[in-house]
Amino acid sequence: MKISIVVPCYNEQEVLRETCRRIKDVLASNGLTDHEILFINDGSTDSTPLLLCEFAERDRTIKVIHFSRNFGHEAATAAGIRHCSGDIAFLLDADLQDPPELIPEMIALWQHERCNVVYGVRKSREGETFLKKLTSKLFYRFFNAISDVPFPIDTGDFRLIDHKVISEFKRFSERKMYVRGLLTWVGFRQMPFFYERHRRFAGTTKYNYRKLLRLSLDIIFSFTKRPLKLALELGAASVIVSLLLVLYAFVSRYVSPLPGWASTVIIIIFFGGVQLLTVGVIGEYIAIIFDEVKRRPQYIVDELLNLDTPVDKDQPNRR
Ligand code: UDP
Ligand code: MG
């Protein structure tokens, strides 16, 4: 059985040697000799590309995909899954927050349960701020409340996927991709694996709050049409409110009249807000459609190391 390990990297020079060593150690000490480690260099500007070239030269099982610029974590992970050739694959962050030492346990669970996906569920998250943990928890709960497919809470990318899931994933051609969402969406038998998430080994997070907010909005708008339906519900609610206001206007005419301008201003602001919100929601979907119809590639590969065939059409293998 061949194992692929997919590791997206963006400016990870501080951790890469340690990451590579620990993955190699755990595979060697468990007799998992048939393996490949795919590092995706997502347009790093530090010495990440040099380090990866050095690894690939030393060891044929280390494969590298260099992107032409930074295309984001999701694109990097997607490229890794598309290029992997294992019977099972692991998705692992480069920063060692998800310990590679858990790989054998996850394989054991996968074999015991005869499932297709083993997804890591974080029992605890060391070294992350209270605000990040809180916003992440709230987001997943909110998302599940509006999403058509329920997604497991406290789950990141760290997971094992088998060949069935890998080959289904390779059929997806959407540009705006939320990988862990799609890997849940495909279905099959999926089992949770509880673990303690460590703090980053070194370096800093590549996600600031602005990027996280953008990611959250992308997830919502690419996975559920609920916000569009919300526009209809808001419209209905405003009709009811306006009817109530008519009633109120009649009553107040005889009891204690509000100055005319106040009620007018309130109504204008209220309906203006509702309309802008609705247009904004529609705009988000149009932006997604805009991106999809252009059919631009999700990422551009600059160079492949130790990988012979480019899997994406029109992507040259510049060696
Ligand atoms: N990453 C990437 N491209 C990006 C941002 C991040 O490939 O544009 C990689 C990064 O190198 C790491 C993983 O995605 O391996 C997760 O990123 P990070 O640890 O910064 O996120 P956090 O764990 O803080 O959510
Ligand atoms: Mg991290």
Side-chain angles (χ1 to χ4, degrees):
M1 181 181 69
K2 182 169 177 180
I3 298 174
S4 303
I5 313 235
V6 173
V7 191
C9 314
Y10 177 54
N11 292 345
E12 298 286 8
Q13 62 181 15
E14 296 93 348
V15 295
L16 273 182
R17 273 188 205 285
E18 182 69 7
T19 308
C20 191
R21 186 189 64 75
R22 277 180 50 186
I23 297 176
K24 277 276 167 196
D25 279 359
V26 71
L27 294 174
S29 58
N30 287 277
L32 303 167
T33 45
D34 191 10
H35 64 251
E36 61 177 1
I37 310 174
L38 284 126
F39 287 102
I40 302 93
N41 162 30
D42 184 13
S44 304
T45 49
D46 63 357
S47 56
T48 297
L50 293 177
L51 280 170
L52 294 180
C53 292
E54 180 196 316
F55 296 167
E57 241 163 59
R58 228 183 25 218
D59 184 344
R60 296 272 316 161
T61 64
I62 295 185
K63 307 183 173 180
V64 180
I65 304 171
H66 287 293
F67 279 1
S68 62
R69 64 166 171 86
N70 179 250
F71 282 92
H73 181 194
E74 303 294 322
T77 312
I81 302 176
R82 288 202 192 105
H83 283 84
C84 74
S85 59
D87 301 294
I88 57 173
F90 283 87
L91 309 185
L92 209 67
D93 281 358
D95 56 10
L96 295 170
Q97 282 194 286
D98 307 315
E101 288 71 23
L102 299 176
I103 288 176
E105 272 178 66
M106 291 170 85
I107 296 179
L109 181 69
W110 169 69
Q111 283 168 332
H112 181 255
E113 294 289 338
R114 295 175 173 279
C115 53
N116 306 92
V117 175
V118 175
Y119 58 91
V121 181
R122 302 149 178 179
K123 273 195 288 189
S124 66
R125 301 170 73 165
E126 246 182 65
E128 288 190 21
T129 60
F130 172 74
L131 194 63
K132 182 156 180 183
K133 286 190 253 191
L134 180 74
T135 44
S136 155
K137 262 201 165 43
L138 287 177
F139 171 75
Y140 280 106
R141 282 179 176 76
F142 168 73
F143 180 65
N144 273 345
I146 61 168
S147 158
D148 312 328
V149 189
F151 288 102
I153 288 176
D154 291 332
T155 302
D157 277 327
F158 184 41
R159 64 190 64 212
L160 174 163
I161 52 180
D162 78 349
H163 63 278
K164 276 191 191 164
V165 177
I166 297 171
S167 58
E168 287 305 325
F169 183 85
K170 288 178 179 171
R171 290 174 47 205
F172 290 122
S173 60
E174 52 202 89
R175 325 278 109 177
K176 211 161 226 119
M177 221 175 224
Y178 173 49
V179 175
R180 64 187 92 151
L182 289 177
L183 292 177
T184 305
W185 185 88
V186 292
F188 298 113
R189 190 168 150 73
Q190 311 215 356
M191 296 300 296
F193 174 84
F194 295 90
Y195 74 108
E196 316 271 346
R197 191 161 206 241
H198 293 204
R199 65 178 66 241
R200 222 174 203 284
F201 178 73
T204 51
T205 175
K206 309 295 176 289
Y207 278 101
N208 52 30
Y209 276 102
R210 195 173 54 79
K211 265 188 159 181
L212 275 178
L213 180 67
R214 192 57 255 168
L215 178 69
S216 314
L217 292 176
D218 283 348
I219 296 171
I220 291 174
F221 293 121
S222 61
F223 263 93
T224 163
K225 296 185 277 299
R226 191 81 180 80
L228 274 179
K229 294 180 184 145
L230 208 67
L232 199 71
E233 288 157 14
L234 272 177
S238 18
V239 171
I240 295 171
V241 170
S242 64
L243 288 177
L244 289 177
L245 280 173
V246 170
L247 203 69
Y248 171 74
F250 265 114
V251 176
S252 64
R253 194 182 153 91
Y254 299 104
V255 189
S256 66
L258 256 182
W261 65 268
S263 47
T264 315
V265 168
I266 292 170
I267 290 168
I268 290 175
I269 293 177
F270 177 74
F271 288 107
V274 168
Q275 280 166 11
L276 279 181
L277 196 78
T278 319
V279 171
V281 166
I282 297 170
E284 288 287 346
Y285 286 98
I286 293 179
I288 294 178
I289 299 169
F290 181 60
D291 275 346
E292 299 290 331
V293 293
K294 280 184 290 186
R295 302 208 63 74
R296 278 191 199 153
Q298 192 187 8
Y299 48 81
I300 305 275
V301 174
D302 178 13
E303 196 180 8
L304 298 173
L305 302 177
N306 292 339
L307 280 162
D308 313 315
T309 38
V311 293
D312 309 298
K313 275 189 268 115
D314 314 323
Q315 292 278 346
N317 177 9
R318 302 194 192 97
R319 296 184 57 116

